[in-house]
Each structure stands twice: as C-alpha cells, then as structure tokens.
Amino acid sequence: MPEKKFRWKNSTIRKQIDVLSNKLAPTVVLKNATYLNSYLRQWIKANIWILEDRIIYVGNNFPEITTNTEVIDCSTKVVVPGYIEPHAHPFQLYNPHTLASYVSQTGTTTLINDNLFLLLQCQKKKALTLIDALEKHHFHYYWWARFDLQTEIHSEEKVLSHDFVKKWLEHDSVLQGGELTGWPKLADGDDWFLYWLQETKRKGKRMEGHFPGASENTLTKMKLFGVDSDHESLTGKDVIKRLKMGYTAALRHSSIRPDLEKLLMELENEGLTTYDFLYYTTDGATPSFYEEGMINRCIDIALECNVPSIDAYNMSSFNVAKYYQIDDQIGVIAPGKVATLNILSSIDQPDPISVMSKGVWLRKDNEKIEEKEEFNWGDYGLQKADINWELTLDDLQFSMPLGMKMRNAVIMEPYSITIDGSANDLSYHHDESFLALIDRYGEWRINTFIKGFANKVQGFASSYSTTGDIIIIGKNKKEMVLAFRRMKEIGGGIVLTENDEVIFEMPLHLNGSASNDQLKDVIHKQKELNALLIDRGYTFDDPVYSLLFLSSTHLPYIRITPRGIFDVMKKTVLFPSIMR
C-alpha cells in the first residue's frame, strides 16, 4: 500500500466522535436519502450525517442535537458519490482550476491528472508545491508521474532526471506512473523505464499503459512488466482482451474518440456480465466537449445502453477509487469518507441538483454557489509568455523535400513536396501550407509543409503545442509574421490573421499554453476558432488536437519536434532542426 498521510488530526476525530455520540451537532444532515451503497450494491434509505468535510454516520438514526445544523429533506432524492475523472489532461487550453470549477457543477469533483504540462512548463521546484497548493481548494486533485515526454526534445534527461521522477513518485497526490506512451522503449530494453516502473510498484502505486491496437503478445509482455490498466481499447473485443489478462480498462468518451456507446454495445454483444473492473474517461477532451459536463455524460450514455444503474454509477466513482486505492477517502457514501457527493432528482438523472465536495456546497438546488477561491498561477512561474525575439521572413525559408500530410486530425503521414517553397504566397487551389515549429526562446527552427490543414488560412500562430514551442502555419509569409507578432504582444496564445488584420485571438495566460479565463469563455473562443478554420478549409474533427499532436511521437507516422522531423516507426530524426 502507498504511504499516505491521514486527513484528520486527533482533535478533529474527537469532535467527529462527539457528533456520533450526540454531544455535538453535525454540520449537515441529509434526511431520508436514498443513497448508493457501493459495497452492498444496493440503493438504501438512510440519514447521512456530515461534520465539516467528513461523513460521520449513515443509517436510520437522526441526531439528537441539531443546533445550527443544515437539515435537507432528501425523501424524493438520490445521493451518489462525487464523480471521478481518472485520466485528465488538465491543460487543454483550460487549466486544472477552471476545469474543475466548471465540471464540478455537473458532479465531477475529482481529477486524476497528467503531469506533462508541469514537466515541460514549470520550474522543477515549483511544480510539486503547485500541486500541494491546488489540493487546498475544494476539488480533489491527484496526479500521474510520467516516464516519457511524448515527443523528442533536446536534453530530455534534464527534464526527466532520475531524482525528479523519484520525487514525483514519492508524492502523496501521485497515484500512478504513466501513462506509458513510451512503452516501445521499455519493450526494447530501456532499463530506466523498467527501474521507474519497479519504483512505482515498490511504492504500492498503479501503472497505467497506453496501448492502442496492441497485440495479445504485447499486452501480455506489458502485464509482465507490471502495468495495471489501459484506456486505449478501440473495440469491445479489445476491452475483453484486457480484462482476460487482469487489466482494469477505461472506456473512453472523448472529443477525438467519442466511443462509449459503441464500446458498451459491443461489450453487451460479447456477453459481458460484470463491470467491476471498468470505468469511464474523457481523456483530456478539448473545451467545447465539456459544455454539458464530464463524467455525468458518460453515466447518461451507460444508462441509455441498459447498463445496470449501480454499475453505471460505480464506474464513475467506486471502481476508480478502488483501483487507485483511495476508496478509504472518496468514491463511497459511508462513515469516515470525505463528504464529496452528488444529490440527484432520480437514479436516471445523473446531472446533480446539488454538489458537495470536501463538505462544501458547490451547487445547491440547481444554483451554482459562487466561488471565492482563485488560484494565482504567477506564484508558480506560470504567467504571460515572455517572447523576446522577432520572427522575420528569413526564418520562413522552406526547402524541405518532405512534408506532413494529415490523414485525420492527429495522424500525420510523410509526403513528397513538389511545390515551390521560395514564393511568399501559396495558391488557394490546393491544401498545402507552410509549417514552422520554432523554439519558444528563439534558438532553433524546423520548416516544412503541411498538407490537409486548410486551403485558405493566410496566417496562423500558436504557442499552444505539446512542448510549448511556437507553431506557425499559413499560405502567406507576411501574414504568418503578423500572426506571430500579435501572438507575442498578447503574451502567448492562438492568433489568426487575414488581409493584414487579426481576425481571431485567444490569449493563453499560462506560459502561452493555457488560459486562465473561465471555461465557459474558453468554450466560446474554441468554437469561434473551429468555425473560422472550417470556413477556411479545415475538414477534420478538432483543430485544437491537431495543434497539440503535431509534435506527439506516441502517434504515427511522422512528427515535427524540437529535434526535427521525426519518423516515429523508425525512431529516427529525418531532418534535424537548425539554429536560428
């Protein structure tokens, strides 16, 4: 078992015992509630006593002392544990605080987060203090410790030093190693990967894989290495294959792969009889996907697919908490647990009317309780990007023979460039555009062409990318420079220009990679960006994912990375980046 600090001090526990002994009034009582008892797999009628942030009692008794107690009649209501997102990428234009603030209104009050952004964007000493500071807020935040950066960068060993990975694995809030996007290195004999994996297991923590389309042999090999779960099942048969081998499997419903209904129907056809080792994930969807919530939408789909209601809710909470060994704290309605729960109008309505997290009402009677808490990202070195170099036309020289062709929003194939890259403008009659990736500090660049992004985008600049380096795309080099200059002026973000005018901009206040605006405003801006790009020839599902994954080497076939144009399958740099 991982070593953890107990949440409550001795004096606080004594007060809790006094409540149970009817010497002290509880803070809140949920009277005559029908609640989900996950251990018995039953809906049970009970009174639920809460003192501050802890559930004290669940049963038939009613407290004798109710001075200043908030008593809520739940005779016609249903109470379930707060929903848990087990695989969040919390910097997809939004940030962990704005994401949690928004999705908590529909019941998701716990995020288990990727630490990739903090590895690449935050100073080492401040990254761990940042996650400590976030945990002081009303939401539950947990984290992963990555062993690879999902791209090719210069001096990766400095970012992922042994000591730093070890510090992450030792942290109370870190529940697992992974996700293991670099598993081919492990399979090919990388002993650092194996050492970190062994350290993860020694500390009693979980290990998450990333195995899309993996064969039975690969999955077996990864199980021997010690991997516990995987969220990359593409079909119901994939899920069954993982369950047979003892994996816990996540069912994904994300903006790039909204697969949940398909997976559940295929699992029914496969004759699945138990859901105990399954849970949902939205896998870091882009902002607009969360407009109507997060895990609540997954429960709704499960209920519509005839999943038994107890299983539909357990996959949102209890199954996750059990797997990550945090069911002593959350994921369950029972004495001793943290008071994090959702009140529903009925079992078939997973959108809560009231939401409590850590004993604090975030939503009550269908009204949001306004937050007084803010998070000062600047205290941790995350502020407007300071871009102190200029982009010139000399930086936009394109003589590369090999370009990147978009098969879909995220898969890039190599293709031979035949058009003249020396011109300042490209024709609108084809879908090839200039593409440059330039170091955020202006030290290196790599220039090529991208086919399939759009046919009428004149100038586009984004500091949002896997690595935080600058992506510049367009048909017109002067417009590309203009887009860059405006992006620089606003301290990083996404800018679209046309006919010497800025027609769209989204400031990204945290190192040019994430916004600090409320998520509802980010959703609006993302929708506007999507519409503008679609009007100019973007034909795929999600341009935000396209930007993010241009450099991501866990996907085939070719990527533009800080080290240069990289062949993922051959694991080689085809054309290196050059110094400016």
Side-chain angles (χ1 to χ4, degrees):
M1 286 288 291
E3 184 178 322
K4 293 186 289 189
K5 297 176 186 174
F6 197 57
R7 186 180 182 91
W8 296 277
K9 296 179 181 178
N10 289 355
S11 58
T12 305
I13 294 171
R14 293 295 182 190
K15 283 175 61 180
Q16 295 163 354
I17 298 298
D18 285 344
V19 171
L20 185 64
S21 303
N22 285 303
K23 297 177 182 178
L24 187 69
T27 312
V28 177
V29 174
L30 305 181
K31 182 180 177 182
N32 295 325
T34 297
Y35 81 99
L36 175 58
N37 187 304
S38 300
Y39 293 107
L40 290 175
R41 293 180 53 81
Q42 293 178 7
W43 298 101
I44 297 177
K45 201 82 168 177
N47 299 313
I48 301 170
W49 308 6
I50 296 166
L51 180 68
E52 297 170 348
D53 64 345
R54 198 178 196 191
I55 299 173
I56 304 301
Y57 171 82
V58 182
N60 294 327
N61 295 338
F62 195 82
E64 294 176 10
I65 302 174
T66 57
T67 307
N68 297 322
T69 299
E70 182 182 16
V71 179
I72 299 175
D73 186 0
C74 293
S75 301
T76 61
K77 306 294 189 298
V78 174
V79 182
V80 296
Y83 309 146
I84 304 171
E85 169 52 81
H87 186 95
H89 298 274
F91 291 96
Q92 306 287 56
L93 298 181
Y94 42 72
N95 68 64
H97 189 260
T98 56
L99 176 63
S101 177
Y102 187 89
V103 301
S104 65
Q105 292 299 302
T106 48
T108 303
T109 44
T110 301
L111 303 176
I112 302 175
N113 297 300
D114 184 4
N115 73 333
L116 179 62
F117 178 95
L118 299 181
L119 292 175
L120 290 170
Q121 301 276 3
C122 200
Q123 296 177 23
K124 286 186 177 183
K125 289 183 180 179
K126 293 186 175 181
L128 294 172
T129 57
L130 185 156
I131 67 173
D132 288 334
L134 277 171
E135 184 53 33
K136 294 176 183 176
H137 288 251
H138 295 323
F139 318 110
H140 296 270
Y141 295 101
Y142 297 95
W143 297 85
W144 334 331
R146 272 190 180 268
F147 303 161
D148 62 279
L149 298 178
Q150 219 168 268
T151 189
E152 295 293 313
I153 69 167
H154 302 287
S155 304
E156 179 176 327
E157 68 282 355
K158 293 181 180 179
V159 177
L160 283 174
S161 66
H162 167 66
D163 289 343
F164 194 45
V165 173
K166 190 174 180 182
K167 284 181 180 178
W168 273 93
L169 288 173
E170 289 170 348
H171 197 281
D172 280 349
S173 296
V174 174
L175 302 181
Q176 70 172 13
E179 58 180 310
L180 201 61
T181 51
W183 63 265
K185 293 182 180 178
L186 174 66
D188 290 342
D190 189 314
D191 281 340
W192 271 122
F193 267 70
L194 185 54
Y195 175 80
W196 288 334
L197 199 152
Q198 293 281 45
E199 281 293 296
T200 304
K201 307 302 282 189
R202 261 193 289 273
K203 295 182 186 306
K205 300 187 179 186
R206 297 297 192 179
M207 190 70 220
E208 185 185 26
H210 180 100
F211 311 137
S215 67
E216 182 181 50
N217 184 62
T218 294
L219 290 171
T220 303
K221 191 182 295 183
M222 292 300 123
K223 207 73 181 73
L224 293 174
F225 279 126
V227 179
D228 299 294
S229 67
D230 181 58
H231 61 285
E232 288 291 336
S233 295
L234 305 178
T235 65
K237 290 185 184 296
D238 284 347
V239 177
I240 296 295
K241 186 162 54 176
R242 284 156 175 75
L243 293 174
K244 281 181 178 178
M245 293 185 189
Y247 284 94
T248 296
L251 307 181
R252 180 167 47 195
H253 190 67
S254 74
S255 52
I256 199 70
R257 292 202 66 93
D259 289 347
L260 183 58
E261 181 178 358
K262 168 181 173 288
L263 290 172
L264 289 171
M265 292 176 66
E266 290 177 356
L267 285 171
E268 184 178 16
N269 292 336
E270 291 290 329
L272 182 75
T273 57
T274 178
Y275 297 84
D276 291 350
F277 299 95
L278 299 175
Y279 47 68
Y280 317 109
T281 179
T282 60
D283 195 7
T286 47
S288 60
F289 191 76
Y290 293 132
E291 190 164 17
E292 296 179 4
M294 186 181 262
I295 297 300
N296 58 306
R297 295 179 61 200
C298 297
I299 302 169
D300 202 34
I301 292 169
L303 293 171
E304 289 177 359
C305 290
N306 299 316
V307 174
S309 63
I310 288 174
D311 290 307
Y313 283 98
N314 276 350
M315 284 194 286
S316 76
S317 53
F318 185 53
N319 292 5
V320 186
K322 256 193 322 181
Y323 170 75
Y324 281 111
Q325 304 167 91
I326 52 174
D327 54 315
D328 61 325
Q329 302 174 42
I330 60 172
V332 185
I333 305 291
K337 313 301 182 183
V338 181
T340 297
L341 49 83
N342 296 326
I343 300 177
L344 316 178
S345 59
S346 65
I347 290 172
D348 61 354
Q349 295 293 331
D351 288 15
I353 56 176
S354 299
V355 177
M356 175 182 283
S357 182
K358 298 182 181 178
V360 176
W361 292 112
L362 305 181
R363 184 176 184 84
K364 198 169 181 188
D365 298 328
N366 284 320
E367 295 290 335
K368 179 177 182 178
I369 307 299
E370 288 302 320
E371 284 182 78
K372 296 178 181 177
E373 297 181 325
E374 293 185 0
F375 193 81
N376 189 351
W377 294 95
D379 290 346
Y380 307 94
L382 294 171
Q383 50 200 359
K384 286 185 177 182
D386 182 17
I387 302 169
N388 58 10
W389 50 274
E390 287 292 340
L391 181 74
T392 68
L393 289 177
D394 287 341
D395 291 311
L396 301 180
Q397 298 178 24
F398 297 85
S399 57
M400 185 79 68
L402 186 73
M404 299 170 64
K405 178 181 178 181
M406 298 179 69
R407 176 187 288 188
N408 57 35
V410 299
I411 303 298
M412 308 289 164
E413 299 173 329
Y415 86 100
S416 296
I417 298 169
T418 58
I419 60 176
D420 180 11
S422 64
N424 286 332
D425 297 279
L426 297 178
S427 170
Y428 287 172
H429 296 298
H430 59 72
D431 62 353
E432 293 174 74
S433 301
F434 298 119
L435 167 64
L437 181 71
I438 306 181
D439 175 40
R440 68 177 100 172
Y441 304 112
E443 294 182 358
W444 51 260
R445 63 178 171 85
I446 182 78
N447 295 14
T448 185
F449 281 75
I450 185 166
K451 181 175 175 59
F453 182 78
N455 64 347
K456 294 180 182 177
V457 169
Q458 293 182 16
F460 181 85
S462 172
S463 54
Y464 173 79
S465 65
T466 298
T467 58
D469 297 309
I470 311 300
I471 297 168
I472 303 175
I473 299 173
K475 292 281 192 176
N476 181 290
K477 292 179 181 178
K478 289 183 179 179
E479 293 287 345
M480 294 162 71
V481 171
L482 176 62
F484 168 83
R485 288 178 178 167
R486 181 56 185 164
M487 183 270 296
K488 175 182 174 178
E489 287 174 4
I490 62 176
I494 300 174
V495 174
L496 183 64
T497 65
E498 191 170 280
N499 299 328
D500 298 323
E501 292 184 3
V502 174
I503 62 171
F504 174 86
E505 62 181 49
M506 178 190 289
L508 298 176
H509 316 91
L510 310 186
N511 283 20
S513 294
S515 175
N516 203 25
D517 290 336
Q518 294 298 312
L519 185 56
K520 63 181 178 60
D521 298 322
V522 178
I523 289 170
H524 174 76
K525 293 297 285 186
Q526 186 215 340
K527 285 183 171 181
E528 182 185 353
L529 174 64
N530 288 4
L532 288 168
L533 290 177
I534 289 168
D535 284 347
R536 284 152 183 79
Y538 183 87
T539 60
F540 302 112
D541 299 324
D542 199 328
V544 174
Y545 262 128
S546 296
L547 297 174
L548 181 67
F549 287 140
L550 278 174
S551 300
S552 294
T553 53
H554 69 296
L555 295 168
Y557 295 90
I558 189 171
R559 301 284 140 177
I560 185 169
T561 76
R563 289 183 56 204
I565 303 294
F566 187 78
D567 186 319
V568 175
M569 311 307 285
K570 295 179 180 177
K571 302 180 181 64
T572 57
V573 175
L574 301 177
F575 298 94
S577 54
I578 62 174
M579 301 304 291
R580 294 181 68 240

